[in-house]
Amino acid sequence: MTESEPETDDEPRPDGGIVAPDGDAPTWSERKQRAQGLPRLTYEYFERSRREDQDLRRQSDYVERDVLGFPAWPHETVRNLAITTFFVGMVLFVAAALPPELPNPANSTVTPAIILPDWYLYWSFGLLKLGPLNPELGVLGGQKLMKDRPYGVLANVAVVGAVTVVPFLNKGSARRPVEQPFWAAVGVAGVVFSLTIAALAIKPLVPMDSHLLFDLTFLVPVVSATVTYAVLKTMREGYMFDLNRRYYRLRPPK
């Protein structure tokens, strides 16, 4: 053995001498002299990953623990069948107890008193009824800058634009509403606003004062968002928020 050759153990290692045993990891300068090509690249990759994982474990107080799971058969299958049966039974019960009322046949010669779109477009139709929010300009003699219908169309564009922009603003990796209470509250406010603005669209059918209904259309979403944010903030400790956050930092989701 010459002086330039590194010392090796008596027993050959199965890795061919590329990976050093625990406690004898080479430095980066020694590693460059040991291997070349693909073996060197592979060694550096796994060694760097191992050290980064050790550093993360050393900095975190996360405790590894077993995760219990249940087999798909029969546990998960029986549970899903029970839940499915319950909801199917509820649908059949509602259909039998509250059958839909069939109105009179349509008459093409008579214009109905209330014209409404399909139910899934009530929210958009309600935005066309935001005339009281259309400002009047004093410089125009108290006249409105645009009519109520174009103003409602712009409101539709603003709402659809806000829904489109929100996913680009929130790029977090949270998997539970408790991890990001603010954005969860924003989502709840959006859902509640879609329901209240839909009620505003059919205000002739709602047994409530029109002015009160208009005020509640914008007040209820704000109250719902506030309550959601407060509840999720108080639930953090119960859901071990800090522990879960450290876990996903240690093992980022795929």
Side-chain angles (χ1 to χ4, degrees), residues 208-229:
M208 184 183 298
D209 181 68
S210 59
H211 298 286
L212 178 61
L213 179 61
F214 188 86
D215 295 337
L216 292 179
T217 300
F218 301 94
L219 180 62
V220 174
V222 175
V223 174
S224 302
T226 305
V227 173
T228 302
Y229 181 81

Side-chain angles (χ1 to χ4, degrees), residues 38-56:
L38 183 60
R40 168 189 169 187
L41 181 64
T42 305
Y43 181 89
E44 292 182 355
Y45 174 79
F46 284 103
E47 181 68 14
R48 182 186 295 271
S49 301
R50 184 181 66 83
R51 289 190 175 183
E52 290 180 355
D53 185 72
Q54 288 182 351
D55 294 340
L56 288 174

